[in-house]
Amino acid sequence: MNNSKDADDISHWWRTSIIDMAPGKIEFRGHPIQDLIGNVSFPQMIWLMVKGNLPSESEAKLFECALVAGVDHGPQAPSIAAARMAATCGLGLNNVMATGVNMLGDVHGGAGEQCAELYIDIAARIDSGESLIDAVRSGLDAWRAEYGKIVSGFGHRFHKPVDPRAPRLMALVRETAEAGTVSGRFADIGEAVQEELGVQRGNRPIAMNIDGATAVIFCELGFPAPLSRGLFCLSRSVGVLAHGWEQMQQGGRNKGPMPPRFLPKYEATQEQ
Amino acid sequence: MNNSKDADDISHWWRTSIIDMAPGKIEFRGHPIQDLIGNVSFPQMIWLMVKGNLPSESEAKLFECALVAGVDHGPQAPSIAAARMAATCGLGLNNVMATGVNMLGDVHGGAGEQCAELYIDIAARIDSGESLIDAVRSGLDAWRAEYGKIVSGFGHRFHKPVDPRAPRLMALVRETAEAGTVSGRFADIGEAVQEELGVQRGNRPIAMNIDGATAVIFCELGFPAPLSRGLFCLSRSVGVLAHGWEQMQQGGRNKGPMPPRFLPKYEATQEQ
Amino acid sequence: MNNSKDADDISHWWRTSIIDMAPGKIEFRGHPIQDLIGNVSFPQMIWLMVKGNLPSESEAKLFECALVAGVDHGPQAPSIAAARMAATCGLGLNNVMATGVNMLGDVHGGAGEQCAELYIDIAARIDSGESLIDAVRSGLDAWRAEYGKIVSGFGHRFHKPVDPRAPRLMALVRETAEAGTVSGRFADIGEAVQEELGVQRGNRPIAMNIDGATAVIFCELGFPAPLSRGLFCLSRSVGVLAHGWEQMQQGGRNKGPMPPRFLPKYEATQEQ
Amino acid sequence: MNNSKDADDISHWWRTSIIDMAPGKIEFRGHPIQDLIGNVSFPQMIWLMVKGNLPSESEAKLFECALVAGVDHGPQAPSIAAARMAATCGLGLNNVMATGVNMLGDVHGGAGEQCAELYIDIAARIDSGESLIDAVRSGLDAWRAEYGKIVSGFGHRFHKPVDPRAPRLMALVRETAEAGTVSGRFADIGEAVQEELGVQRGNRPIAMNIDGATAVIFCELGFPAPLSRGLFCLSRSVGVLAHGWEQMQQGGRNKGPMPPRFLPKYEATQEQ
């Protein structure tokens, strides 16, 4: 390859620590691809790519639980509905998947990220000497000043009283902590937040939802907050793909949100 | 829930065999989510969602190899470059991932699908009584009549003479076939196509690339051709996420394809 | 700027005839931007950018009619529904618009392109000596061999018997042809196709729809077939924006395709 | 149509004031489409769709200037580069356009929105009794507390000392204000912000850029701040389409950000 200043600048513009390539050579984070294929699990590969090191098997096992838990929540989720509609518009599965994933914005995909921010902030407050309960209260105050009253990761408009994914995930975090793989401190923090929220609602318990539980896992495993969103998107991509493919097999052309015989209601305004 | 004709029609419009929900209940293909979390691997979950049944561990193991193999091919791939640029434009990781995955169209993401179509067609020709070599030749003719001269799944503009992922994957297919998990017929077909292509180029061998090898795996495991594209998109989403996240940490605003001091070359035309 | 071979190669990799830039200078197709602003209409600017020259005012006027006609078809269109749902997911208007436009694939956005291909092919057959009716018949045969029985640009599943946009557009094409701005040959071709389709359906007339009519306009004005898709996407972007914005003002979070009290119907399969 | 409670709920879920449809009938904001086609300009149609009323011709003329000004800034813009790369990946123009527009996030497409927020806030401060200069100073303080030091709409990393679009647009705003079509108050505010920023930089003048100038126009015309982003996306869609189409004609497959002979620089980290 050329070594001019220009060539160096160009190469450096696209510098990466993820992949090293030459003809016949592909290495990820220093590991030749042929050594990874067949030897590491898909979750381990995801971890290696995103975080830079290979996790132990027990770390990967807990990580995998979070990936399994978030794959889908059905066609009432806008991301899934949009993907299914896209599948009837003559698009490839790549475009179908992109359509669905694109919609996992602050309101949905961002919930895990925002919840992880809260947990990490509370942990920092504890490290600075606050008690757990004080850190939870001051962390919640600070978080709400930025994001508003409703705390991401808790409560569910549909799954009442309990989101079946959260208690299962939390039990697995506790098992993994007992085995010494993770510390369990974010499980403590998550449950303390849950309890405090219940108290603040006049002692009406509130459930932890999937975002609250997977954020505990991703924090226990050392992932920065934005990756709670990214990893959720990866997980939900599975459901997007499954639904897009199912819709392709069901057929349909230009599928709208409701059967064609229904029409949107027109509401005249005075602006006309 | 309401049982009017209208309500039934609406529900039916969004019918699915993937997920069954009620408050507190999430079941995928008949399996409660809490039974899946911690008990099935992420590749098994992907398979369940997309294909409808739970694979055996050895099936899942081969499936996983294909998912691991395709995660990334670096920033020279347009999907990765676009994702990294998107990460500097003030988008969330969901939008970054969508931007990258959207670009895995017919030319890239579609290669595995087209290659799987070829393999499946050759298999059907064999089932109709043709010999392997005849089926390969007539299959190639038919395929080229639709898609053109260059056969997807073989050759690589960068990895010469060998794409390091393909031989490793093929060795694992052979191992899995010996263990009786898969039949090995698509491995035979893939290698026969590869050999025939070499003969047709005047006895200059051509390498199988990652699309050719993963298509063998997905066909061995019974996935329809379009899922070779969909599953590749899922795999490549990992690299898109990893690169988008790395770029976010490197920083930058409105990152273009080359350092700002370079300008695109303007070529005046006569149309003005 | 640097003039090394590397720098030249880089600049050439991104060569363009559309825009010429230097600090303080932006020229499109040879026209300084400050001369265009305030002096050319938005449709003229679109034409200049896409086609390379500035249209006359009467050309731009007809062009504008096609852009106005296609802006929206309401929330039953999957692109509009998806954009509205996206607007409740915490995305910016750019992501909302991308979500909608992405869905204008072969089935919807591609209809105009496919119809233009038919018209242009028929025109070529006439240029080769066939009569209009023979060219229409052979053109339809060839088109159907590639795209199937249903001819894009004709018939409408909702607007029966008439799509109100098409006759208005065709009248304007005829006016423009009488004024000598366009030839009117594609209007002839479009109407001959429409008539032949009616005959082939057992003398049951079929309406021309918006795709059939705008394809006539884009062909009259010399746009290649794929731009019938591209220009439609530009036009429909207006509706996508308007609906996304209206939804943002209506509010809602994670808006699904139907009110939350309705659930998709779960259909168990035997695969489980 | 059905009038059950369910049917009403469904229709109401997708209520809109933009479009009223029945077979053979399409009306936008109360205007039949056939009356709009050929009678309103494309900018008037955009305004009608987004804002709800028909603008006067002089309002539409100023509006049009902003739409013309923002169409493109060349392949060094990530949105344009991504669209051009997408065009070589086997995607339709709809997907190409979506890829480009999706990237117009907070850093790029959001600049106009943020600048409009600043202007509107300053106007509100003036309405509350502050002087122009006090309102500018306190408005800038409040804005920076939310968005950081660099004020959107001013300065340009490439166009130094002057962005050629801004002075032309501002001159047209002043002309339009003199004619009584707009008040000119946002032109005053924009220029006062520009001057104050120069003072704050130690009396080094700073240029207004296209976002600063188009935000003036959109504010003068009464558009809410988020539409400065949306309308910019509409305008830039033109350049995205033009570049995607030019790239399709140039050809290429899987075009990366730089010629294939250059490779990204691999930087090993210690994490491995």
Side-chain angles (χ1 to χ4, degrees), chain A residues 2 4 6 76 78 89-90 99 102-103 105 107 157 253-259 262, chain C residues 2 4 6 76 78 89 99 102-103 105-107 157 253-259 262:
Chain A
N2 206 306
S4 78
D6 290 328
Q76 270 286 37
C89 293
T99 298
N102 207 36
M103 290 170 71
V107 172
R157 66 181 185 187
R253 286 171 64 88
N254 278 332
K255 178 194 181 95
M258 48 192 173
F262 297 100
Chain C
N2 206 305
S4 78
D6 289 329
Q76 270 285 37
C89 292
T99 298
N102 207 35
M103 290 171 72
D106 286 351
V107 172
R157 66 181 184 186
R253 286 170 64 88
N254 278 331
K255 178 191 179 99
M258 49 194 172
F262 297 100

mmCIF file of all heavy atoms in Angstrom, chain A residues 2 4 6 76 78 89-90 99 102-103 105 107 157 253-259 262, chain C residues 2 4 6 76 78 89 99 102-103 105-107 157 253-259 262:
data_model
loop_
_atom_site.group_PDB
_atom_site.id
_atom_site.type_symbol
_atom_site.label_atom_id
_atom_site.label_comp_id
_atom_site.label_asym_id
_atom_site.label_seq_id
_atom_site.Cartn_x
_atom_site.Cartn_y
_atom_site.Cartn_z
ATOM 1 N N ASN A 2 0.272 2.300 -0.502
ATOM 2 C CA ASN A 2 0.956 3.576 -0.615
ATOM 3 C C ASN A 2 1.236 4.181 0.767
ATOM 4 O O ASN A 2 0.460 4.047 1.682
ATOM 5 C CB ASN A 2 0.050 4.533 -1.388
ATOM 6 C CG ASN A 2 0.873 5.583 -2.074
ATOM 7 O OD1 ASN A 2 1.659 6.256 -1.422
ATOM 8 N ND2 ASN A 2 0.714 5.705 -3.381
ATOM 9 N N SER A 4 2.184 7.592 1.121
ATOM 10 C CA SER A 4 2.192 9.048 1.084
ATOM 11 C C SER A 4 1.427 9.585 2.285
ATOM 12 O O SER A 4 0.631 8.890 2.905
ATOM 13 C CB SER A 4 1.545 9.559 -0.201
ATOM 14 O OG SER A 4 0.134 9.472 -0.099
ATOM 15 N N ASP A 6 -0.958 11.606 2.094
ATOM 16 C CA ASP A 6 -2.375 11.527 1.744
ATOM 17 C C ASP A 6 -2.943 10.153 2.055
ATOM 18 O O ASP A 6 -4.012 10.027 2.650
ATOM 19 C CB ASP A 6 -2.572 11.844 0.259
ATOM 20 C CG ASP A 6 -2.313 13.318 -0.040
ATOM 21 O OD1 ASP A 6 -2.581 14.150 0.846
ATOM 22 O OD2 ASP A 6 -1.838 13.617 -1.137
ATOM 23 N N GLN A 76 -48.246 -5.262 17.992
ATOM 24 C CA GLN A 76 -48.725 -3.985 18.517
ATOM 25 C C GLN A 76 -47.555 -3.031 18.752
ATOM 26 O O GLN A 76 -47.748 -1.832 18.899
ATOM 27 C CB GLN A 76 -49.537 -4.187 19.812
ATOM 28 C CG GLN A 76 -51.031 -4.388 19.590
ATOM 29 C CD GLN A 76 -51.753 -3.091 19.216
ATOM 30 O OE1 GLN A 76 -51.216 -2.263 18.507
ATOM 31 N NE2 GLN A 76 -52.988 -2.959 19.678
ATOM 32 N N PRO A 78 -44.818 -0.696 17.488
ATOM 33 C CA PRO A 78 -44.718 -0.007 16.196
ATOM 34 C C PRO A 78 -43.577 -0.524 15.325
ATOM 35 O O PRO A 78 -43.716 -0.570 14.091
ATOM 36 C CB PRO A 78 -44.516 1.464 16.577
ATOM 37 C CG PRO A 78 -44.231 1.490 18.036
ATOM 38 C CD PRO A 78 -44.783 0.240 18.624
ATOM 39 N N CYS A 89 -44.365 -4.316 0.841
ATOM 40 C CA CYS A 89 -44.142 -3.189 -0.082
ATOM 41 C C CYS A 89 -43.068 -3.477 -1.117
ATOM 42 O O CYS A 89 -42.600 -2.558 -1.797
ATOM 43 C CB CYS A 89 -43.762 -1.942 0.709
ATOM 44 S SG CYS A 89 -45.094 -1.316 1.751
ATOM 45 N N GLY A 90 -42.652 -4.752 -1.230
ATOM 46 C CA GLY A 90 -41.660 -5.075 -2.234
ATOM 47 C C GLY A 90 -40.242 -4.727 -1.846
ATOM 48 O O GLY A 90 -39.416 -4.416 -2.695
ATOM 49 N N THR A 99 -36.202 -0.860 8.669
ATOM 50 C CA THR A 99 -37.408 -0.100 8.974
ATOM 51 C C THR A 99 -37.825 -0.318 10.430
ATOM 52 O O THR A 99 -38.157 0.631 11.146
ATOM 53 C CB THR A 99 -38.549 -0.510 8.028
ATOM 54 O OG1 THR A 99 -38.152 -0.200 6.681
ATOM 55 C CG2 THR A 99 -39.841 0.230 8.348
ATOM 56 N N ASN A 102 -35.019 1.040 12.976
ATOM 57 C CA ASN A 102 -34.948 2.514 12.975
ATOM 58 C C ASN A 102 -35.910 3.125 13.997
ATOM 59 O O ASN A 102 -35.662 4.207 14.525
ATOM 60 C CB ASN A 102 -35.293 3.036 11.571
ATOM 61 C CG ASN A 102 -34.653 4.387 11.275
ATOM 62 O OD1 ASN A 102 -33.536 4.665 11.701
ATOM 63 N ND2 ASN A 102 -35.361 5.223 10.534
ATOM 64 N N MET A 103 -37.016 2.416 14.270
ATOM 65 C CA MET A 103 -38.050 2.974 15.128
ATOM 66 C C MET A 103 -37.817 2.756 16.624
ATOM 67 O O MET A 103 -38.616 3.197 17.451
ATOM 68 C CB MET A 103 -39.410 2.419 14.708
ATOM 69 C CG MET A 103 -39.819 3.007 13.356
ATOM 70 S SD MET A 103 -41.265 2.230 12.628
ATOM 71 C CE MET A 103 -42.526 2.842 13.739
ATOM 72 N N GLY A 105 -36.409 4.165 18.926
ATOM 73 C CA GLY A 105 -35.826 5.430 19.379
ATOM 74 C C GLY A 105 -35.908 5.647 20.875
ATOM 75 O O GLY A 105 -36.084 4.704 21.651
ATOM 76 N N VAL A 107 -38.048 6.577 22.924
ATOM 77 C CA VAL A 107 -39.213 6.137 23.694
ATOM 78 C C VAL A 107 -39.181 4.633 23.966
ATOM 79 O O VAL A 107 -39.644 4.173 24.995
ATOM 80 C CB VAL A 107 -40.514 6.523 22.960
ATOM 81 C CG1 VAL A 107 -41.722 5.914 23.636
ATOM 82 C CG2 VAL A 107 -40.651 8.038 22.922
ATOM 83 N N ARG A 157 -47.421 -0.772 30.476
ATOM 84 C CA ARG A 157 -48.825 -0.430 30.230
ATOM 85 C C ARG A 157 -49.668 -1.665 29.927
ATOM 86 O O ARG A 157 -50.878 -1.621 30.021
ATOM 87 C CB ARG A 157 -48.945 0.610 29.098
ATOM 88 C CG ARG A 157 -48.511 0.127 27.738
ATOM 89 C CD ARG A 157 -48.657 1.280 26.702
ATOM 90 N NE ARG A 157 -48.360 0.802 25.364
ATOM 91 C CZ ARG A 157 -48.275 1.575 24.290
ATOM 92 N NH1 ARG A 157 -48.450 2.878 24.411
ATOM 93 N NH2 ARG A 157 -48.005 1.073 23.104
ATOM 94 N N ARG A 253 -50.207 -6.937 -0.200
ATOM 95 C CA ARG A 253 -49.526 -5.856 -0.915
ATOM 96 C C ARG A 253 -49.926 -4.538 -0.277
ATOM 97 O O ARG A 253 -51.099 -4.274 -0.073
ATOM 98 C CB ARG A 253 -49.974 -5.830 -2.396
ATOM 99 C CG ARG A 253 -49.389 -6.951 -3.238
ATOM 100 C CD ARG A 253 -50.045 -6.993 -4.605
ATOM 101 N NE ARG A 253 -49.794 -5.807 -5.404
ATOM 102 C CZ ARG A 253 -48.747 -5.646 -6.206
ATOM 103 N NH1 ARG A 253 -47.848 -6.618 -6.333
ATOM 104 N NH2 ARG A 253 -48.586 -4.534 -6.889
ATOM 105 N N ASN A 254 -48.942 -3.733 0.046
ATOM 106 C CA ASN A 254 -49.215 -2.432 0.656
ATOM 107 C C ASN A 254 -50.137 -2.549 1.865
ATOM 108 O O ASN A 254 -51.113 -1.813 1.996
ATOM 109 C CB ASN A 254 -49.848 -1.482 -0.374
ATOM 110 C CG ASN A 254 -48.799 -0.830 -1.250
ATOM 111 O OD1 ASN A 254 -47.669 -0.648 -0.840
ATOM 112 N ND2 ASN A 254 -49.192 -0.500 -2.460
ATOM 113 N N LYS A 255 -49.833 -3.477 2.750
ATOM 114 C CA LYS A 255 -50.635 -3.687 3.955
ATOM 115 C C LYS A 255 -50.680 -2.420 4.793
ATOM 116 O O LYS A 255 -49.650 -1.885 5.202
ATOM 117 C CB LYS A 255 -49.987 -4.817 4.768
ATOM 118 C CG LYS A 255 -50.668 -5.156 6.090
ATOM 119 C CD LYS A 255 -49.733 -6.043 6.929
ATOM 120 C CE LYS A 255 -50.340 -6.438 8.248
ATOM 121 N NZ LYS A 255 -50.998 -7.754 8.216
ATOM 122 N N GLY A 256 -51.855 -1.931 5.045
ATOM 123 C CA GLY A 256 -52.030 -0.779 5.920
ATOM 124 C C GLY A 256 -52.185 -1.215 7.358
ATOM 125 O O GLY A 256 -52.127 -2.413 7.672
ATOM 126 N N PRO A 257 -52.413 -0.278 8.266
ATOM 127 C CA PRO A 257 -52.505 -0.617 9.682
ATOM 128 C C PRO A 257 -53.809 -1.314 10.066
ATOM 129 O O PRO A 257 -53.914 -1.883 11.151
ATOM 130 C CB PRO A 257 -52.393 0.739 10.381
ATOM 131 C CG PRO A 257 -52.832 1.740 9.359
ATOM 132 C CD PRO A 257 -52.446 1.177 8.023
ATOM 133 N N MET A 258 -54.799 -1.273 9.178
ATOM 134 C CA MET A 258 -56.089 -1.899 9.478
ATOM 135 C C MET A 258 -56.686 -2.386 8.164
ATOM 136 O O MET A 258 -56.254 -1.974 7.094
ATOM 137 C CB MET A 258 -57.013 -0.895 10.177
ATOM 138 C CG MET A 258 -57.076 0.461 9.475
ATOM 139 S SD MET A 258 -57.876 1.732 10.503
ATOM 140 C CE MET A 258 -57.595 3.199 9.515
ATOM 141 N N PRO A 259 -57.655 -3.291 8.225
ATOM 142 C CA PRO A 259 -58.239 -3.799 6.972
ATOM 143 C C PRO A 259 -58.741 -2.643 6.111
ATOM 144 O O PRO A 259 -59.211 -1.623 6.642
ATOM 145 C CB PRO A 259 -59.395 -4.668 7.462
ATOM 146 C CG PRO A 259 -59.022 -5.083 8.846
ATOM 147 C CD PRO A 259 -58.265 -3.916 9.414
ATOM 148 N N PHE A 262 -61.801 -0.181 6.639
ATOM 149 C CA PHE A 262 -61.799 0.915 7.611
ATOM 150 C C PHE A 262 -61.047 2.113 7.032
ATOM 151 O O PHE A 262 -60.036 1.953 6.352
ATOM 152 C CB PHE A 262 -61.124 0.492 8.918
ATOM 153 C CG PHE A 262 -61.844 -0.613 9.622
ATOM 154 C CD1 PHE A 262 -61.402 -1.920 9.509
ATOM 155 C CD2 PHE A 262 -62.970 -0.342 10.391
ATOM 156 C CE1 PHE A 262 -62.061 -2.959 10.160
ATOM 157 C CE2 PHE A 262 -63.632 -1.374 11.055
ATOM 158 C CZ PHE A 262 -63.186 -2.687 10.928
ATOM 159 N N ASN C 2 -3.835 19.149 -2.219
ATOM 160 C CA ASN C 2 -2.760 18.235 -2.566
ATOM 161 C C ASN C 2 -2.973 17.655 -3.958
ATOM 162 O O ASN C 2 -4.076 17.383 -4.377
ATOM 163 C CB ASN C 2 -2.764 17.098 -1.549
ATOM 164 C CG ASN C 2 -1.382 16.505 -1.446
ATOM 165 O OD1 ASN C 2 -0.819 16.099 -2.460
ATOM 166 N ND2 ASN C 2 -0.838 16.469 -0.239
ATOM 167 N N SER C 4 -1.077 14.843 -5.079
ATOM 168 C CA SER C 4 -0.474 13.517 -5.204
ATOM 169 C C SER C 4 -1.442 12.596 -5.925
ATOM 170 O O SER C 4 -2.642 12.861 -6.010
ATOM 171 C CB SER C 4 -0.171 12.960 -3.816
ATOM 172 O OG SER C 4 -1.362 12.479 -3.223
ATOM 173 N N ASP C 6 -2.434 9.833 -4.848
ATOM 174 C CA ASP C 6 -3.416 9.378 -3.857
ATOM 175 C C ASP C 6 -4.553 10.381 -3.701
ATOM 176 O O ASP C 6 -5.728 10.024 -3.702
ATOM 177 C CB ASP C 6 -2.730 9.172 -2.495
ATOM 178 C CG ASP C 6 -1.813 7.964 -2.517
ATOM 179 O OD1 ASP C 6 -2.116 7.005 -3.252
ATOM 180 O OD2 ASP C 6 -0.796 7.987 -1.822
ATOM 181 N N GLN C 76 -53.809 4.984 5.606
ATOM 182 C CA GLN C 76 -53.931 3.576 5.247
ATOM 183 C C GLN C 76 -52.749 3.132 4.382
ATOM 184 O O GLN C 76 -52.505 1.941 4.213
ATOM 185 C CB GLN C 76 -55.260 3.297 4.517
ATOM 186 C CG GLN C 76 -56.407 2.916 5.443
ATOM 187 C CD GLN C 76 -56.295 1.506 5.977
ATOM 188 O OE1 GLN C 76 -55.205 1.021 6.260
ATOM 189 N NE2 GLN C 76 -57.427 0.846 6.151
ATOM 190 N N PRO C 78 -49.077 2.207 3.938
ATOM 191 C CA PRO C 78 -48.111 1.757 4.949
ATOM 192 C C PRO C 78 -47.001 2.769 5.219
ATOM 193 O O PRO C 78 -46.550 2.902 6.365
ATOM 194 C CB PRO C 78 -47.559 0.454 4.366
ATOM 195 C CG PRO C 78 -48.020 0.390 2.947
ATOM 196 C CD PRO C 78 -49.219 1.264 2.826
ATOM 197 N N CYS C 89 -42.192 7.454 18.633
ATOM 198 C CA CYS C 89 -41.146 6.604 19.207
ATOM 199 C C CYS C 89 -39.912 7.391 19.638
ATOM 200 O O CYS C 89 -38.867 6.804 19.904
ATOM 201 C CB CYS C 89 -40.738 5.526 18.201
ATOM 202 S SG CYS C 89 -42.026 4.300 17.883
ATOM 203 N N THR C 99 -38.159 6.674 7.534
ATOM 204 C CA THR C 99 -38.951 5.467 7.765
ATOM 205 C C THR C 99 -40.059 5.348 6.724
ATOM 206 O O THR C 99 -40.294 4.281 6.154
ATOM 207 C CB THR C 99 -39.555 5.495 9.189
ATOM 208 O OG1 THR C 99 -38.483 5.517 10.132
ATOM 209 C CG2 THR C 99 -40.441 4.287 9.438
ATOM 210 N N ASN C 102 -38.542 4.958 3.013
ATOM 211 C CA ASN C 102 -37.914 3.648 2.822
ATOM 212 C C ASN C 102 -38.910 2.602 2.333
ATOM 213 O O ASN C 102 -38.543 1.645 1.643
ATOM 214 C CB ASN C 102 -37.303 3.173 4.156
ATOM 215 C CG ASN C 102 -36.127 2.229 3.964
ATOM 216 O OD1 ASN C 102 -35.345 2.378 3.022
ATOM 217 N ND2 ASN C 102 -35.989 1.249 4.847
ATOM 218 N N MET C 103 -40.174 2.770 2.691
ATOM 219 C CA MET C 103 -41.186 1.766 2.377
ATOM 220 C C MET C 103 -41.795 1.907 0.983
ATOM 221 O O MET C 103 -42.642 1.111 0.603
ATOM 222 C CB MET C 103 -42.263 1.798 3.453
ATOM 223 C CG MET C 103 -41.706 1.239 4.773
ATOM 224 S SD MET C 103 -42.818 1.464 6.174
ATOM 225 C CE MET C 103 -44.075 0.273 5.737
ATOM 226 N N GLY C 105 -41.241 0.914 -1.843
ATOM 227 C CA GLY C 105 -40.503 -0.058 -2.641
ATOM 228 C C GLY C 105 -41.194 -0.444 -3.938
ATOM 229 O O GLY C 105 -42.082 0.262 -4.422
ATOM 230 N N ASP C 106 -40.803 -1.587 -4.472
ATOM 231 C CA ASP C 106 -41.296 -2.011 -5.778
ATOM 232 C C ASP C 106 -42.815 -1.992 -5.881
ATOM 233 O O ASP C 106 -43.360 -1.677 -6.935
ATOM 234 C CB ASP C 106 -40.800 -3.437 -6.094
ATOM 235 C CG ASP C 106 -39.321 -3.430 -6.453
ATOM 236 O OD1 ASP C 106 -38.748 -2.334 -6.614
ATOM 237 O OD2 ASP C 106 -38.745 -4.520 -6.562
ATOM 238 N N VAL C 107 -43.482 -2.347 -4.794
ATOM 239 C CA VAL C 107 -44.933 -2.478 -4.868
ATOM 240 C C VAL C 107 -45.626 -1.125 -4.958
ATOM 241 O O VAL C 107 -46.668 -0.994 -5.594
ATOM 242 C CB VAL C 107 -45.464 -3.260 -3.637
ATOM 243 C CG1 VAL C 107 -46.973 -3.244 -3.588
ATOM 244 C CG2 VAL C 107 -44.948 -4.693 -3.685
ATOM 245 N N ARG C 157 -57.337 -0.139 -6.118
ATOM 246 C CA ARG C 157 -58.182 -0.971 -5.269
ATOM 247 C C ARG C 157 -59.191 -0.146 -4.492
ATOM 248 O O ARG C 157 -60.164 -0.667 -3.980
ATOM 249 C CB ARG C 157 -57.336 -1.837 -4.323
ATOM 250 C CG ARG C 157 -56.545 -1.074 -3.294
ATOM 251 C CD ARG C 157 -55.716 -2.063 -2.436
ATOM 252 N NE ARG C 157 -55.021 -1.342 -1.374
ATOM 253 C CZ ARG C 157 -54.151 -1.914 -0.551
ATOM 254 N NH1 ARG C 157 -53.861 -3.192 -0.667
ATOM 255 N NH2 ARG C 157 -53.558 -1.214 0.394
ATOM 256 N N ARG C 253 -47.334 7.667 22.607
ATOM 257 C CA ARG C 253 -46.038 7.014 22.793
ATOM 258 C C ARG C 253 -46.131 5.597 22.269
ATOM 259 O O ARG C 253 -47.032 4.855 22.634
ATOM 260 C CB ARG C 253 -45.668 6.964 24.278
ATOM 261 C CG ARG C 253 -45.235 8.316 24.862
ATOM 262 C CD ARG C 253 -45.130 8.251 26.375
ATOM 263 N NE ARG C 253 -44.085 7.332 26.817
ATOM 264 C CZ ARG C 253 -42.810 7.688 26.999
ATOM 265 N NH1 ARG C 253 -42.422 8.920 26.777
ATOM 266 N NH2 ARG C 253 -41.929 6.797 27.408
ATOM 267 N N ASN C 254 -45.185 5.207 21.433
ATOM 268 C CA ASN C 254 -45.179 3.843 20.898
ATOM 269 C C ASN C 254 -46.524 3.466 20.297
ATOM 270 O O ASN C 254 -47.072 2.392 20.581
ATOM 271 C CB ASN C 254 -44.814 2.839 21.993
ATOM 272 C CG ASN C 254 -43.318 2.748 22.205
ATOM 273 O OD1 ASN C 254 -42.542 2.974 21.290
ATOM 274 N ND2 ASN C 254 -42.926 2.400 23.415
ATOM 275 N N LYS C 255 -47.060 4.341 19.471
ATOM 276 C CA LYS C 255 -48.352 4.098 18.834
ATOM 277 C C LYS C 255 -48.292 2.830 17.982
ATOM 278 O O LYS C 255 -47.470 2.709 17.080
ATOM 279 C CB LYS C 255 -48.673 5.289 17.923
ATOM 280 C CG LYS C 255 -49.974 5.195 17.131
ATOM 281 C CD LYS C 255 -50.017 6.323 16.075
ATOM 282 C CE LYS C 255 -51.276 6.268 15.250
ATOM 283 N NZ LYS C 255 -52.299 7.219 15.724
ATOM 284 N N GLY C 256 -49.151 1.898 18.270
ATOM 285 C CA GLY C 256 -49.261 0.685 17.476
ATOM 286 C C GLY C 256 -50.252 0.868 16.346
ATOM 287 O O GLY C 256 -50.840 1.944 16.183
ATOM 288 N N PRO C 257 -50.477 -0.175 15.562
ATOM 289 C CA PRO C 257 -51.369 -0.039 14.415
ATOM 290 C C PRO C 257 -52.846 0.040 14.784
ATOM 291 O O PRO C 257 -53.672 0.409 13.958
ATOM 292 C CB PRO C 257 -51.075 -1.296 13.597
ATOM 293 C CG PRO C 257 -50.545 -2.278 14.582
ATOM 294 C CD PRO C 257 -49.817 -1.485 15.622
ATOM 295 N N MET C 258 -53.190 -0.300 16.002
ATOM 296 C CA MET C 258 -54.592 -0.266 16.439
ATOM 297 C C MET C 258 -54.621 0.078 17.931
ATOM 298 O O MET C 258 -53.608 -0.035 18.611
ATOM 299 C CB MET C 258 -55.253 -1.620 16.168
ATOM 300 C CG MET C 258 -54.450 -2.813 16.663
ATOM 301 S SD MET C 258 -55.043 -4.396 15.972
ATOM 302 C CE MET C 258 -53.762 -5.519 16.550
ATOM 303 N N PRO C 259 -55.778 0.528 18.420
ATOM 304 C CA PRO C 259 -55.834 0.893 19.836
ATOM 305 C C PRO C 259 -55.363 -0.270 20.715
ATOM 306 O O PRO C 259 -55.589 -1.439 20.376
ATOM 307 C CB PRO C 259 -57.323 1.181 20.057
ATOM 308 C CG PRO C 259 -57.861 1.558 18.717
ATOM 309 C CD PRO C 259 -57.075 0.732 17.740
ATOM 310 N N PHE C 262 -57.038 -3.801 21.456
ATOM 311 C CA PHE C 262 -57.074 -4.908 20.488
ATOM 312 C C PHE C 262 -55.736 -5.641 20.506
ATOM 313 O O PHE C 262 -54.686 -5.025 20.621
ATOM 314 C CB PHE C 262 -57.330 -4.384 19.071
ATOM 315 C CG PHE C 262 -58.653 -3.713 18.903
ATOM 316 C CD1 PHE C 262 -58.754 -2.337 18.924
ATOM 317 C CD2 PHE C 262 -59.808 -4.476 18.736
ATOM 318 C CE1 PHE C 262 -59.990 -1.715 18.783
ATOM 319 C CE2 PHE C 262 -61.050 -3.854 18.588
ATOM 320 C CZ PHE C 262 -61.132 -2.467 18.619
#
